[in-house]
Amino acid sequence: TYQMCNMTPAEINKHLAGPIALLKYKQTRTATTVSDNACQIFGGRAITASGMGYIVEKYQKTFKFQAILGGSEEIMADFAMRQAMRQVQDMPARL
């Protein structure tokens, strides 16, 4: 937040856009892994809307919204890689 408030839009695009896209991608992949593992641990209880599996079932329903609202995983990964390649192309080659 500090950097977003104190940098120009050009600096934000150059220095923060790629890392933020990678963080969004990593967060959605981690949420998917957590959801899948919780379902494996709880088994059939993970799909019940009450009882011990309630929290897992609720999480399974809602974690996908984060990925959708944040942008598609593939688009975020592609954008982050494009930003990284721009940074590399701007660096002079050293042998």
Side-chain angles (χ1 to χ4, degrees), residues 48-61:
T48 60
S50 62
M52 289 176 56
Y54 169 74
I55 294 171
V56 176
E57 189 264 343
K58 185 176 178 182
Y59 181 72
Q60 236 183 341
K61 283 184 176 179

Side-chain angles (χ1 to χ4, degrees), residues 33-87:
T33 303
V34 167
S35 175
D36 291 344
N37 288 341
C39 284
Q40 289 294 322
I41 291 168
F42 277 82
R45 291 182 180 151
I47 58 173
T48 60
S50 62
M52 289 176 56
Y54 169 74
I55 294 171
V56 176
E57 189 264 343
K58 185 176 178 182
Y59 181 72
Q60 236 183 341
K61 283 184 176 179
T62 58
F63 85 91
K64 250 330 192 188
F65 290 118
Q66 297 168 4
I68 293 167
L69 296 176
S72 172
E73 292 177 2
E74 294 82 13
I75 293 170
M76 287 292 126
D78 182 59
F79 178 72
M81 291 303 112
R82 288 178 190 266
Q83 290 292 100
M85 292 303 294
R86 278 192 192 150
Q87 294 289 330

Side-chain angles (χ1 to χ4, degrees), residues 20-42:
I20 289 172
L22 275 177
L23 283 171
K24 286 182 177 182
Y25 172 77
K26 181 66 175 172
Q27 185 272 331
T28 57
R29 296 303 309 150
T30 302
T32 303
T33 303
V34 167
S35 175
D36 291 344
N37 288 341
C39 284
Q40 289 294 322
I41 291 168
F42 277 82

